[in-house]
């Protein structure tokens, strides 16, 4: 543009040339000349700004005239318009009346340094026009023939601009397609994590921008930031929201570094905006599919876990039933034998051992039966707060001895649950015992109750040893224990699990090694309506 404008300056002998074009939504304006007033900076005006300018009653006659010629509505019978809609005058100091049709007339006075003025429109391509404006200090510089000649020149400008524009558009399009292609290559690579994908996108995205060397990109997703090396934030920013089903979860942004930009630049192309929207949409759908996959995997894992527990449970129930009978006999006969006369002290002691061992074994069998939910329950309305308040008394002294602070935090007006009181106590005791075991050097044991929607929750929390993820996954399996022989049977958590499940409740365990463990069990309210 600059080269052709200076050629035109030389050739025409004018002192100033101004070029105006419209490209998409923006209007560009640029002056070339030998007077200091004319600058070669390109000025960009958005369609909205231009509309506001034209609507302003204080608009200068010159600007108004340019707008009028742009619009192509001219009256060729007026001598200052050519057949092709160019305006020209040999003396701007003479006011002119422009006939706007319907008897409306606008009087314009363009008086200024340049006395000769020609405003010549040209077509670039469909819907896009330009103006070639020639200015000369001298009066009456052009003839009508000159203007007609320059109309041809202006049209050449238009064709050149149109070619350049298509080439440019093609180049930009190619950049965008390359960008989308590269992104899809990352996405489709198997085993790529979401992090890697986002990191890849911020690396690739700048290359699709008009001024790729000045651009840098950032993605914010769920509050996490992803940027490529050398990222720089600036006021020249293009952004698009990432959303899943209308819920905004983040955004993609592109910045142009301010230092490298010429004044007037920094506006993003509409294609770049659509590209960014497309990328944001793509990220949204990646996150959505991945989330669905993860949930699916989690669900399957839970199902497998439940399945495993059920199998173990059936197995355990079978053994428990089989053992119950011989155990009762051992116990019965041992008790009978111990009543016999003239037993030596040794035999008497041995029989006692047999009796105690069988009682112990029967206890285990009973626990196994609870785990498999194979015991009759006595269900009634139960105040969980009361159970906690009563049971906590048993732990007070034990905790005191071990340097464990016991904290009770009971929610007021807790709805009742329908449950077997003995079993609920057992849940509480088992959880508390585990927590105390986990804090051999003291700590804090917290028991709290709270409402959880239509349920009532009991939370037992310690800040003891905690457990690894592998251990956490196995704690409900009967006989799983990490404790030494004689210290743990590995039945506590399985019994808790059995009881909670048989009450239609839920259990969740959060734990981190060295930090502690939090077990939350939920039971359904007994009268959900009343409690609302
Ligand atoms: P036991 O207590 O007899 O070992 P449980 O079924 O009660 O059996 O617990 C199984 C295992 O779960 C324990 O051995 C321990 O490793 C782990 N565990 C349970 N509760 C806790 C806790 N509060 N802190 C740390 N580990 C725990
Ligand atoms: Mg235990």
């Amino acid at each position: 543009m600059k080269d052709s404008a200076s050629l035109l300056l030389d050739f025409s002998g004018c002192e100033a040339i101004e070029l105006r074009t419209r490209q998409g939504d923006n209007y560009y304006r640029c002056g070339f000349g030998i007077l200091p007033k004319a600058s070669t900076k390109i000025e960009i005006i958005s369609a909205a700004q231009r509309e506001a300018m034209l609507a302003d009653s204080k608009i200068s006659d010159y600007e108004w005239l340019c707008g009028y010629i742009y619009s192509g509505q001219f009256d060729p019978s007026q001598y200052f318009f050519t057949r092709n809609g160019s305006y020209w005058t040999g003396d701007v100091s003479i006011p002119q009346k422009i006939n706007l049709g319907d008897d409306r007339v606008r009087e314009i006075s363009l008086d200024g340094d340049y006395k000769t003025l020609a405003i010549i429109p040209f077509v670039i391509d469909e819907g896009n026009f330009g103006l070639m404006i020639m200015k000369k200090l001298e009066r009456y510089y052009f003839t009508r023939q000159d203007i007609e000649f320059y109309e041809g020149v202006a049209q050449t400008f238009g064709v050149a601009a149109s070619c350049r524009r298509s080439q440019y558009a093609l180049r930009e399009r190619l950049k965008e397609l390359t960008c989308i292609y590269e992104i899809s290559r990352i996405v489709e690579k198997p085993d790529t994590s979401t992090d890697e994908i986002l990191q890849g996108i911020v690396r690739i995205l700048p290359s699709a921008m008009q001024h790729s060397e000045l651009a840098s990109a950032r993605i914010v997703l769920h509050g996490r930031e992803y940027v490529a090396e050398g990222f720089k934030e600036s006021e020249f920013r293009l952004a698009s929201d990432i959303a899943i089903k209308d819920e905004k979860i983040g955004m993609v942004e592109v910045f142009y570094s301010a230092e490298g930009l010429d004044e007037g630049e920094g506006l993003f192309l509409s294609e770049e905006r659509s590209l960014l929207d497309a990328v944001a949409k793509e990220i949204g759908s990646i996150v959505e599919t991945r989330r669905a996959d993860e949930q699916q995997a989690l669900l399957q894992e839970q199902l497998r876990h439940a399945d495993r527990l059920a199998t173990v449970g059936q197995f355990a129930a079978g053994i428990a039933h089989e053992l119950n009978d011989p155990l009762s006999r051992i116990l019965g006969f041992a008790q009978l034998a111990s009543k016999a006369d003239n037993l030596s002290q040794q035999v008497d002691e041995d029989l006692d051992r047999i009796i105690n061992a069988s009682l112990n074994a029967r206890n285990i069998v009973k626990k196994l039966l609870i785990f498999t939910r194979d015991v009759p329950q006595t269900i009634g309305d139960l105040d969980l707060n009361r159970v906690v308040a009563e049971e906590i008394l048993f732990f007070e002294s034990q905790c005191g001895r071990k340097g464990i602070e016991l904290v009770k935090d009971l929610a007021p007006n807790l709805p009742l649950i329908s449950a077997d009181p003995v079993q609920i106590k057992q849940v509480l005791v088992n959880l508390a015992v585990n927590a105390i075991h986990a804090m051999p050097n003291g700590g804090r044991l917290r028991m709290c109750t709270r409402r959880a929607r239509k349920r009532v929750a009991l939370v037992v929390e310690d800040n003891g040893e905690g457990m690894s993820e592998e251990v956490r996954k196995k704690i409900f399996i009967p006989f799983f224990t990490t404790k030494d022989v004689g210290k743990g049977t590995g039945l506590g958590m399985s019994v808790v699990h059995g009881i909670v499940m048989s009450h239609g409740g839920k259990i969740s365990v959060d734990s981190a090694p060295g930090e502690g463990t939090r077990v939350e069990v939920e039971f359904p309210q007994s009268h959900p309506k009343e409690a609302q």
Side-chain angles (χ1 to χ4, degrees):
M1 270 295 199
K2 271 184 194 171
D3 293 346
S4 9
S6 56
L7 255 178
L8 195 62
L9 271 176
D10 278 351
F11 177 78
S12 65
C14 287
E15 275 91 24
I17 302 268
E18 192 183 322
L19 288 173
R20 297 184 172 212
T21 56
R22 188 185 124 181
Q23 304 189 18
D25 283 344
N26 291 327
Y27 289 79
Y28 296 78
R29 177 159 91 180
C30 179
F32 308 91
I34 50 178
L35 278 194
K37 263 193 199 161
S39 82
T40 51
K41 266 186 190 148
I42 299 179
E43 202 181 323
I44 308 176
I45 303 169
S46 70
Q49 281 171 317
R50 182 169 179 274
E51 215 151 276
M53 201 173 84
L54 291 181
D56 188 346
S57 58
K58 290 201 281 295
I59 180 176
S60 75
D61 283 344
Y62 177 68
E63 280 305 329
W64 175 84
L65 186 61
C66 288
Y68 181 68
I69 296 170
Y70 246 133
S71 71
Q73 310 156 319
F74 61 93
D75 176 358
S77 69
Q78 303 182 81
Y79 70 91
F80 37 79
F81 279 111
T82 70
R83 264 174 306 156
N84 296 316
S86 307
Y87 169 92
W88 65 297
T89 176
D91 189 353
V92 291
S93 51
I94 306 171
Q96 284 170 341
K97 287 197 173 78
I98 297 208
N99 182 4
L100 302 177
D102 299 336
D103 294 335
R104 284 180 303 131
V105 165
R106 176 161 177 141
E107 187 169 316
I108 57 169
S109 153
L110 304 167
D111 205 5
D113 296 335
Y114 299 105
K115 299 301 177 196
T116 296
L117 174 69
I119 305 178
I120 302 170
F122 58 88
V123 178
I124 298 174
D125 46 34
E126 207 181 321
N128 289 321
F129 304 98
L131 292 181
M132 182 173 102
I133 304 167
M134 306 172 75
K135 303 172 186 177
K136 180 81 183 164
L137 292 169
E138 203 178 309
R139 277 169 227 269
Y140 299 108
Y141 188 65
F142 293 126
T143 64
R144 185 170 281 269
Q145 279 83 355
D146 288 340
I147 298 299
E148 276 170 10
F149 168 76
Y150 286 117
E151 278 178 344
V153 173
Q155 218 35 65
T156 318
F157 259 134
V159 172
S162 157
C163 275
R164 273 181 59 101
R165 172 154 332 152
S166 351
Q167 263 178 11
Y168 183 74
L170 203 65
R171 220 175 47 222
E172 288 304 310
R173 191 86 196 107
L174 194 68
K175 280 205 240 171
E176 281 165 39
L177 286 176
T178 315
C179 168
I180 291 174
Y181 170 69
E182 300 248 331
I183 290 176
S184 70
R185 267 201 354 187
I186 302 182
V187 173
E188 262 143 42
K189 233 198 281 166
D191 300 330
T192 329
S193 69
T194 311
D195 277 4
E196 283 166 335
I197 292 178
L198 299 180
Q199 212 63 59
I201 293 177
V202 289
R203 209 183 53 239
I204 293 167
L205 205 50
S207 65
M209 296 289 126
Q210 192 185 3
H211 308 288
S212 40
E213 63 301 340
L214 305 177
S216 53
R218 171 168 69 190
I219 294 174
V220 181
L221 190 72
H222 296 305
R224 262 197 74 181
E225 255 190 34
Y226 300 83
V227 293
E229 220 174 289
F231 169 77
K232 254 201 199 131
E233 206 173 328
S234 82
E235 58 188 307
F236 303 108
R237 167 177 180 267
L238 182 67
S240 187
D241 284 350
I242 304 170
I244 295 182
K245 297 192 183 84
D246 292 338
E247 180 207 347
K248 183 179 165 182
I249 56 168
M251 59 184 166
V252 203
E253 302 164 291
V254 175
F255 296 92
Y256 275 149
S257 75
E259 292 104 73
L261 275 188
D262 286 339
E263 206 181 319
E265 279 183 311
L267 289 177
F268 291 90
L269 305 175
S270 58
E271 290 81 9
E272 291 170 344
R273 184 170 300 281
S274 348
L275 173 71
L276 211 63
D277 288 345
V279 169
K281 215 161 141 192
E282 175 72 18
I283 296 174
S285 76
I286 292 169
V287 174
E288 196 177 2
T289 7
R290 296 212 162 207
R291 201 189 269 177
D293 287 353
E294 274 163 24
Q295 269 167 358
Q296 174 89 4
L298 191 72
L299 206 67
Q300 254 163 13
E301 178 53 33
Q302 281 171 348
L303 275 177
R304 260 202 302 274
H305 188 62
D307 215 36
R308 239 181 353 244
L309 279 185
T311 315
V312 172
Q314 277 167 4
F315 185 64
I319 295 177
H321 276 298
E322 289 299 318
L323 286 181
N324 218 7
D325 199 36
L327 263 180
S328 305
R329 282 154 173 254
I330 294 172
L331 189 63
F333 282 115
Q335 280 167 340
L336 211 65
S338 70
K339 298 224 168 76
D341 299 331
N342 307 325
L343 289 179
S344 73
Q345 196 191 341
Q346 180 64 46
V347 173
D348 199 35
E349 278 173 20
D350 288 349
L351 280 173
D352 267 353
R353 285 198 187 105
I354 293 176
I355 290 167
N356 281 335
S358 338
L359 281 172
N360 203 4
R362 219 168 62 171
N363 234 338
I364 292 179
V365 165
K366 227 158 86 189
K367 284 186 182 171
L368 268 183
L369 289 175
I370 292 179
F371 166 68
T372 60
R373 291 174 243 165
D374 232 9
V375 284
Q377 289 177 320
T378 328
I379 299 280
D381 285 350
L382 188 67
D383 177 1
L384 195 56
N385 278 347
R386 228 189 60 210
V387 178
V388 177
E390 281 171 10
E391 287 306 305
I392 219 161
L393 300 175
F394 288 101
F395 292 106
E396 264 169 3
S397 64
Q398 201 182 350
C399 285
R401 259 183 284 127
K402 297 197 165 159
I404 295 171
E405 182 196 354
L406 195 55
V407 181
K408 174 177 76 170
D409 187 0
L410 305 180
N413 308 323
L414 203 63
L416 299 176
I417 57 175
S418 53
D420 179 333
V422 177
Q423 293 195 347
I424 299 302
K425 270 180 207 162
Q426 188 144 30
V427 168
L428 188 68
V429 169
N430 285 357
L431 295 180
V433 165
N434 280 346
I436 292 171
H437 276 166
M439 299 184 287
N441 304 317
R444 204 174 71 136
L445 169 59
R446 187 169 160 259
M447 294 187 191
C448 92
T449 56
R450 62 182 188 90
R451 260 172 198 241
R453 261 166 273 138
K454 289 199 173 152
R455 292 160 173 265
V456 174
L458 166 71
V459 180
V460 178
E461 206 175 17
D462 65 67
N463 58 358
E465 294 161 345
M467 52 190 133
S468 68
E469 183 58 18
E470 288 99 284
V471 169
R472 196 191 62 85
K473 278 185 183 155
K474 293 187 197 144
I475 53 175
F476 298 134
I477 297 174
F479 303 113
F480 172 80
T481 179
T482 57
K483 293 169 191 171
D484 291 342
V485 183
K487 292 249 173 73
T489 56
L491 282 174
M493 289 307 282
S494 28
V495 165
V496 169
H497 186 270
I499 293 174
V500 173
M501 291 304 134
S502 68
H503 282 80
K506 255 176 34 183
I507 179 163
S508 64
V509 180
D510 289 317
S511 189
E515 284 178 28
T517 303
R518 179 180 191 276
V519 183
E520 172 156 355
V521 286
E522 282 180 19
F523 298 101
Q525 290 179 16
S526 64
H527 304 295
K529 275 192 199 107
E530 264 177 38
Q532 286 294 300

